[in-house]
Amino acid sequence: MSSATDRTSPPAAAGGGQVELAIGGMTCASCANRIEKRLNKLDGVTATVNYATETAKVTYADGIGSDELVATVEKAGYTAALPAPPHSSGALEGAEAGSGLEPDDDPARSIRRRLLVSAVLSVPVIAMAMIPALQFTYWQWVALALTTPVLLWGALPFHRAAWTNLKHATATMDTLISMGTIAAFAWSVYALVFGTAGQPGMTHAFELTIDRMDGTANIYLEVVAGVTTFILLGRYFEARSKRRAGAALRALLELGARDVAVLREGADGRREERIPVEQLAVGDLFLVRPGEKIATDGVVEEGNSAIDMSMLTGESIPVEVASGDSIVGATVNAGGRLVVRATRVGADTQLAQMARLVEDAQSGKAAVQRLADRISGVFVPIVIVLALATLVVWIAIGGGLTAAFTAAVAVLIVACPCALGLATPTALLVGTGRGAQLGII
């Protein structure tokens, strides 16, 4: 497993504290449930892991260090990253410090590439298997050639995750996907090489009936290609939804000003100096001209104007302000010239606090999501037991080894309810992100 952090980790706080870890390597709700259990086993630790946002919000007691939290996640087979150390920054940096947001990192890109290649290879395999008219001589060997890269490359993330889980004596949805596709592919190769499925002129009739037959005359390559492609499609939509929700939150954070005209006292009186908003400090006087965004929260020292606060309140009518009135950063000066004294900067501004509230809503868990996570945590082992039981029962009732193996593989293939642990957190993630984008906070 790769190392988790390349950032300096803060020491344990006296009396404990709270930290939000960015978690890597999760592929389903079972992973989140497993990490959460590992963290909560530590004395004095209360953790909530959200699969959709890929974060872990951890409250820890005195004597527990952040390094210990990261190490616990790594021992479970995943990666964890601590938030960047705090420094003077604008609202964007301040609110993103612990969120793990990376504007240039698009997790959907690699999934999209695998999806497109797998789809191009899978469509002819599925078509040939389902439409007898397309089954030319030796079509089954062409299907094998097209399916092999789908299994070995397209489904590689599932196999890697399944191997990692196996090393830690656990199982997730990826375990079911990997086991099912490998078993179907292995059986197909066996039927082609040692059975009658590889003979010239072999055809698959498209039927909805179930008959007892020799399984060595059938191949399941379309199952391998189809399952891999459809699950990659689901993972792509999942990653894109997360990306769009994160982009909406970043759009909210980017509403703030980028630079500010600060008024400095000099020998000849006040002089104006334009600096990046990150360098603005509490107590600084800054100038806001008509049409400019207000750089940060503050109090009007000089001037009268009307402030467009629609970003904050949704009210389209500008609000009149005068000397002594408080104003909020990222709103727009719609009227006269103002001199403002900064009262809150960086992560303390109202805009940054709004962003943190959105992040808290996204990283929290609804009651129905907790129930789904608990079910997902035990679902995979139950399915594996059911598949083995199916194999044994079919053999015991005289169904034959081939029919028993086919039934066991079917149990593994159909039992991949990834939506069980994904629907609620993704809906919450996308809903809050869209709300931030539309100004509904």
Side-chain angles (χ1 to χ4, degrees):
M1 211 64 203
S2 60
S3 177
T5 59
D6 49 26
R7 299 169 178 167
T8 304
S9 56
Q18 187 178 84
V19 66
E20 187 170 283
L21 303 176
I23 306 297
M26 292 193 297
T27 55
C28 67
S30 298
C31 301
N33 188 54
R34 180 174 155 215
I35 296 172
E36 192 171 294
K37 285 182 177 179
R38 289 289 185 96
L39 288 171
N40 285 324
K41 284 182 179 179
L42 297 174
D43 292 336
V45 171
T46 302
T48 300
V49 180
N50 191 300
Y51 170 49
T53 58
E54 297 182 326
T55 57
K57 182 171 290 185
V58 186
T59 302
Y60 54 92
D62 187 20
I64 301 292
S66 299
D67 287 337
E68 186 176 352
L69 301 175
V70 172
T72 300
V73 176
E74 288 184 335
K75 288 178 182 178
Y78 303 89
T79 62
L82 289 164
H87 54 82
S88 178
S89 61
L92 177 63
E93 293 178 348
E96 287 186 351
S99 66
L101 292 173
E102 297 292 342
D104 298 326
D105 182 23
D106 185 4
R109 186 177 295 114
S110 62
I111 301 176
R112 181 171 60 245
R113 184 169 58 251
R114 291 182 189 274
L115 171 62
L116 292 176
V117 174
S118 297
V120 169
L121 296 174
S122 298
V123 168
V125 174
I126 297 173
M128 287 187 293
M130 304 295 286
I131 305 174
L134 300 179
Q135 296 171 5
F136 53 87
T137 305
Y138 294 120
W139 69 272
Q140 64 271 43
W141 295 99
V142 175
L144 176 64
L146 294 174
T147 304
T148 300
V150 176
L151 177 74
L152 298 181
W153 181 75
L156 184 59
F158 311 137
H159 303 322
R160 283 176 175 167
W163 174 247
T164 300
N165 294 327
L166 180 61
K167 290 190 294 184
H168 291 84
T170 59
T172 64
M173 300 296 179
D174 292 291
T175 306
L176 296 181
I177 298 168
S178 182
M179 289 178 62
T181 53
I182 289 176
F185 184 83
W187 180 262
S188 299
V189 172
Y190 173 81
L192 287 170
V193 176
F194 300 103
T196 59
Q199 295 179 356
M202 189 277 285
T203 59
H204 264 183
F206 184 69
E207 298 177 350
L208 298 178
T209 57
I210 301 176
D211 297 319
R212 291 185 181 272
M213 62 182 68
D214 183 6
T216 57
N218 298 302
I219 58 176
Y220 302 96
L221 296 174
E222 75 280 4
V223 174
V224 178
V227 167
T228 299
T229 301
F230 280 113
I231 293 180
L232 282 173
L233 180 64
R235 294 282 173 91
Y236 170 69
F237 284 138
E238 169 195 338
R240 192 177 65 168
S241 296
K242 293 179 183 178
R243 177 67 176 174
R244 287 183 174 179
L249 180 57
R250 284 192 294 273
L252 170 66
L253 295 171
E254 289 168 358
L255 290 174
R258 294 300 182 187
D259 53 32
V260 57
V262 179
L263 298 177
R264 306 291 191 191
E265 296 292 342
D268 301 328
R270 288 179 179 175
R271 59 182 177 83
E272 181 181 327
E273 179 183 350
R274 187 159 290 275
I275 62 173
V277 71
E278 291 84 1
Q279 297 179 13
L280 191 64
V282 173
D284 285 348
L285 288 175
F286 62 93
L287 178 65
V288 186
R289 295 183 174 86
E292 290 185 343
K293 287 184 178 180
I294 297 171
T296 192
D297 298 358
V299 175
V300 177
E301 294 285 331
E302 301 175 12
N304 297 277
S305 183
I307 303 298
D308 181 1
M309 302 185 67
S310 57
M311 179 279 298
L312 181 67
T313 65
E315 175 59 56
S316 59
I317 300 176
V319 178
E320 297 292 333
V321 296
S323 179
D325 290 338
S326 297
I327 55 178
V328 179
T331 53
V332 179
N333 180 14
R337 177 181 181 275
L338 293 175
V339 175
V340 181
R341 184 175 300 277
T343 57
R344 290 184 293 187
V345 297
D348 297 327
T349 63
Q350 190 161 340
L351 176 65
Q353 291 174 11
M354 290 165 56
R356 278 198 297 273
L357 288 174
V358 174
E359 288 181 8
D360 289 342
Q362 290 180 343
S363 61
K365 282 190 178 183
V368 65
Q369 183 184 343
R370 293 184 182 277
L371 175 61
D373 286 351
R374 285 197 298 269
I375 295 174
S376 298
V378 299
F379 182 83
V380 175
I382 290 175
V383 168
I384 294 175
V385 171
L386 287 176
L388 293 175
T390 301
L391 179 68
V392 172
V393 170
W394 272 79
I395 294 175
I397 64 176
L401 180 60
T402 55
F405 185 80
T406 302
V409 170
V411 172
L412 292 175
I413 290 296
V414 301
C416 295
C418 296
L420 179 67
L422 184 63
T424 300
T426 301
L428 186 61
L429 177 70
V430 175
T432 51
R434 185 62 175 162
Q437 190 178 42
L438 297 177
I440 307 172
I441 302 297

